[in-house]
């Protein structure tokens, strides 16, 4: 009897330690790390390279991280370096990384008709950045169906467009690859035939390619919760506050970027200057959409004016929506900070949006995310500049921001990075994809502590 009690007590203690060690945040972090390592090992195989020779491990690791973290930065051109097998590995990493490995795992539960347990539901909630477990299985089912429907439609449209140039099978492969890459906001392309790192610059004025890719980027960046909310409620006034903010801020940023890029680049001969009005309008709209974490581009980013690069960096920093395939600090975070600043200037003590009050801790959290990301960008850029002083700091800053925002837009600096600089960028891509909050929860055990001491309020001078 004593032995039994001791055994039960030890089992409870082991279970408690296991739960603490394998929290949903830690499982998510370890899952992404395992996926990245597996992808790197597969890409290092001779069969993965076009010339049949194994690439350096650092190149494989960088590419695997970029694909899994749906970033799009690359040290080698995807089409010119990787074989069909290698490109398939990259595509699988993009799909799993975009949806989250728990969403992909759920497919097998559905296929085998097995119930999804509490632990799996907790992991899914953490993976999709949801508030609670209510309706989580239904949401995942809709996410998977919606993803494959959107990607399938996009692949068919792009295939029909690429068919005359590349034939049936190659055109189909390119249609599928770019549809998945665009929807997952991954930024990878296989347009190496038109030049290394050319992305979609050969289709700047092509409405079929540009509109399809823009639609996929935008829809993928809205977030899975917003899809479900729009599908169930249909009317804007019935949507949750989160969905209203996402749609309002997203459309507002696209409209602002569209007008801004058209005005600032219309006289630039290297971008929009030589184009007709329809082509220039289409290209400037694409440039307004892709920094939300899309990564694909129809214009050479290095040819933009300084003010346009600044706007691109701002849009990259903001990114897409929480719980989506996009990166950045997230559009709702930026929107809350902007509205909070206006509310503060108006002398208001509370922030109200669409008839709802935003709690003060969430505003503080949004500010914390911004400060941590900006600090990391400056620290990482400075470190790379010290390691490789021959590279222009403006290019390093742009590339570093693109990495942590998991955007993938590049000024051409990435192929010139050395091993140490590549390691920094790998950390930034992983940091940007997994997220500040998830990493913090994984690094520090949440003991459920509350503040036991309440100190008197005071006033300090600010401004």
């Amino acid at each position: 009897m004593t032995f039994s009690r001791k055994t039960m007590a030890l089992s409870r203690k082991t279970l408690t330690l296991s739960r603490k060690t394998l929290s949903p945040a830690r499982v998510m972090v370890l899952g992404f790390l395992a996926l990245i390592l597996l992808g790197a090992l597969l890409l290092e195989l001779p069969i993965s390279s076009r010339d049949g020779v194994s690439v350096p491990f650092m190149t494989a690791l960088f590419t695997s991280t970029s694909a899994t973290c749906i970033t799009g930065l690359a040290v080698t051109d995807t089409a010119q370096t990787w074989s069909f097998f290698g490109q398939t590995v990259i595509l699988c990493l993009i799909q799993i990384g975009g949806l989250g490995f728990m969403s992909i795992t759920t497919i097998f539960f559905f296929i085998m008709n097995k119930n999804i347990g509490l632990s799996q539901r907790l992991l899914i909630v953490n993976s999709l950045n949801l508030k609670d477990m209510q309706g989580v299985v239904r949401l995942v089912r809709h996410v998977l169906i919606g993803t494959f429907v959107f990607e399938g439609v996009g692949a068919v449209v792009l295939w029909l467009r690429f068919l005359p140039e590349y034939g049936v099978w190659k055109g189909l492969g390119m249609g599928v690859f770019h549809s998945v890459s665009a929807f997952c906001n991954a930024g990878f392309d296989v347009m190496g035939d038109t030049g290394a790192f050319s992305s979609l610059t050969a289709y700047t004025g092509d409405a079929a390619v540009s509109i399809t890719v823009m639609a996929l980027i935008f829809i993928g960046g809205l977030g899975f919760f917003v899809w479900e909310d729009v599908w169930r409620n249909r009317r804007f006034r019935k949507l949750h506050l989160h969905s209203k903010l996402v749609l309002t801020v997203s459309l507002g940023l696209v409209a602002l970027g569209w007008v801004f890029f058209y005005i600032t680049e219309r006289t630039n001969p290297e971008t929009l200057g030589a184009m007709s009005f329809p082509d220039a309008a289409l290209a400037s709209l694409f440039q307004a959409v892709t920094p939300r974490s899309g990564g694909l581009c129809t214009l050479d980013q290095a040819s933009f004016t300084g003010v346009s690069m600044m706007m691109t960096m701002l849009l990259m920093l903001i990114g897409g929506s929480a719980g989506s395939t996009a990166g950045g600090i997230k559009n709702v975070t930026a929107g809350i900070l902007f509205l909070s600043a206006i509310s503060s200037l108006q002398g208001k003590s509370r922030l109200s949006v669409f008839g709802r009050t935003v709690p003060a801790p969430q505003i503080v959290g949004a500010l914390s995310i911004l400060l941590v990301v900006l600090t990391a960008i400056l620290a990482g850029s400075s470190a790379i500049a010290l390691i490789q002083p021959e590279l222009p700091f403006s290019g390093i800053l742009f590339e570093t921001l693109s990495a942590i925002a998991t955007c993938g837009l590049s000024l051409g600096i990435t192929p010139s990075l050395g091993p140490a600089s590549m390691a920094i960028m790998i950390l930034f891509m992983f940091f940007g994809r997994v997220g500040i909050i998830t990493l913090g929860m994984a690094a520090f055990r949440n003991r459920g502590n509350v503040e036991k001491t309440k100190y008197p309020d005071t006033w300090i001078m600010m401004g």
Side-chain angles (χ1 to χ4, degrees):
M1 186 71 175
T2 304
F3 176 77
S4 177
R5 287 177 179 175
K6 288 183 177 179
T7 304
M8 290 176 64
L10 181 61
S11 299
R12 292 193 193 100
K13 184 176 181 181
T14 303
L15 180 60
T16 302
L17 290 175
S18 176
R19 286 176 177 173
K20 285 184 178 180
T21 303
L22 297 178
S23 64
R26 289 185 177 182
V27 171
M28 182 176 174
V29 171
L30 292 175
F32 271 105
L33 287 174
L35 183 60
I36 289 171
L37 181 59
L38 175 62
L41 294 175
L42 291 174
L43 291 176
E44 198 184 16
L45 296 174
I47 192 177
S48 295
S49 64
R50 186 173 287 276
D51 57 8
V53 179
S54 297
V55 300
F57 179 73
M58 203 63 182
T59 299
L61 180 62
F62 190 97
T63 305
S64 177
T65 305
S66 184
T68 304
C69 298
I70 49 176
T71 304
L73 292 174
V75 292
T76 59
D77 183 79
T78 305
Q80 297 181 6
T81 302
W82 307 106
S83 64
F84 175 78
F85 178 81
Q87 292 178 23
T88 302
V89 170
I90 292 173
L91 185 64
C92 291
L93 293 175
I94 290 172
Q95 187 71 88
I96 298 173
L99 286 178
F101 65 92
M102 277 311 302
S103 296
I104 299 298
T105 304
T106 307
I107 295 177
F108 296 99
F109 284 93
F110 290 152
I111 293 175
M112 295 184 291
N113 198 27
K114 288 189 174 182
N115 293 327
I116 300 177
L118 178 62
S119 59
Q120 286 81 20
R121 291 171 188 259
L122 286 172
L123 290 172
I124 294 171
V125 167
N126 193 78
S127 177
L128 298 181
N129 198 25
L130 300 175
K131 182 180 179 181
D132 51 48
M133 290 188 293
Q134 184 177 1
V136 65
V137 176
R138 181 187 69 248
L139 175 60
V140 172
R141 184 181 291 109
H142 291 172
V143 165
L144 294 173
I145 294 173
T147 295
F148 296 132
V149 167
F150 287 127
E151 289 180 348
V153 173
V156 170
V157 174
L158 293 175
W159 172 51
L160 293 175
R161 175 59 189 85
F162 294 145
L163 184 61
E165 299 176 44
Y166 298 101
V168 176
W169 296 113
K170 187 174 181 180
L172 178 60
M174 294 184 70
V176 171
F177 190 98
H178 291 102
S179 179
V180 174
S181 180
F183 182 82
C184 291
N185 283 231
F188 277 87
D189 70 272
V190 285
M191 289 292 177
D193 294 340
T194 60
F197 306 104
S198 60
S199 193
L200 300 177
T201 53
Y203 299 89
T204 303
D206 193 303
V209 173
S210 294
I211 293 176
T212 301
V213 171
M214 281 191 293
L216 290 169
I217 292 173
F218 186 83
I219 295 172
L222 286 179
F224 307 128
F225 176 81
V226 177
W227 295 2
E228 182 77 1
D229 199 14
V230 171
W231 175 260
R232 294 182 64 184
N233 295 304
R234 308 297 173 89
R235 295 181 181 180
F236 184 82
R237 63 182 180 82
K238 292 184 177 182
L239 299 178
H240 289 81
L241 176 60
H242 173 78
S243 300
K244 291 180 179 179
L245 283 171
V246 167
L247 293 172
T248 302
V249 176
S250 296
L251 292 173
L253 288 174
V254 169
L256 174 64
W258 187 8
V259 175
F260 185 92
F261 288 121
Y262 184 85
I263 293 175
T264 57
E265 294 296 320
R266 194 65 181 101
T267 57
N268 185 355
E270 297 185 21
T271 54
L272 306 181
M275 296 182 186
S276 63
F277 171 75
D279 289 350
L282 183 63
S284 57
L285 177 59
F286 196 101
Q287 185 62 26
V289 172
T290 194
R292 64 184 286 111
S293 199
L296 297 168
C297 60
T298 57
L299 294 171
D300 181 17
Q301 301 300 298
S303 299
F304 279 104
T305 59
V307 67
S308 293
M309 287 187 185
M310 179 193 68
M311 174 58 78
T312 301
M313 293 174 69
L314 177 61
L315 293 176
M316 285 196 299
L317 177 64
I318 296 173
S321 171
S324 73
T325 59
I329 65 170
K330 303 301 184 291
N331 47 26
V332 170
T333 303
I336 290 299
L337 289 174
F338 179 75
L339 293 174
S340 178
I342 294 178
S343 179
S344 179
L345 291 174
Q346 293 175 339
K348 298 179 180 178
S349 59
R350 291 187 298 270
L351 173 61
S352 299
V353 185
F354 292 116
R356 296 289 187 273
T357 298
V358 180
Q362 286 199 300
I363 300 175
V364 175
L367 182 59
S368 300
I369 291 173
L370 177 62
L371 290 177
V372 170
V373 170
L374 290 178
T375 302
I377 293 170
L378 292 176
S381 300
S382 300
I384 294 176
L386 290 173
I387 295 171
Q388 295 186 255
E390 72 279 6
L391 298 177
F393 186 76
S394 59
I396 295 174
L397 185 63
F398 188 98
E399 225 84 351
T400 306
L401 174 55
S402 182
I404 200 170
T406 67
C407 178
L409 292 177
S410 173
L411 299 183
I413 300 295
T414 302
S416 303
L417 297 177
S421 300
M422 289 171 61
I424 294 174
M425 296 290 278
I426 287 173
L427 289 175
F428 271 46
M429 288 187 288
F430 182 79
F431 178 74
R433 179 64 183 101
V434 175
I436 298 170
I437 298 176
T438 301
L439 283 175
M441 292 174 63
F444 305 102
R445 291 183 178 180
N446 184 8
R447 301 175 183 269
N449 292 337
V450 295
E451 298 175 90
K452 297 180 180 179
T453 305
K454 174 66 169 63
Y455 294 101
D457 294 336
T458 188
W459 179 86
I460 57 176
M461 292 184 290
M462 300 180 65

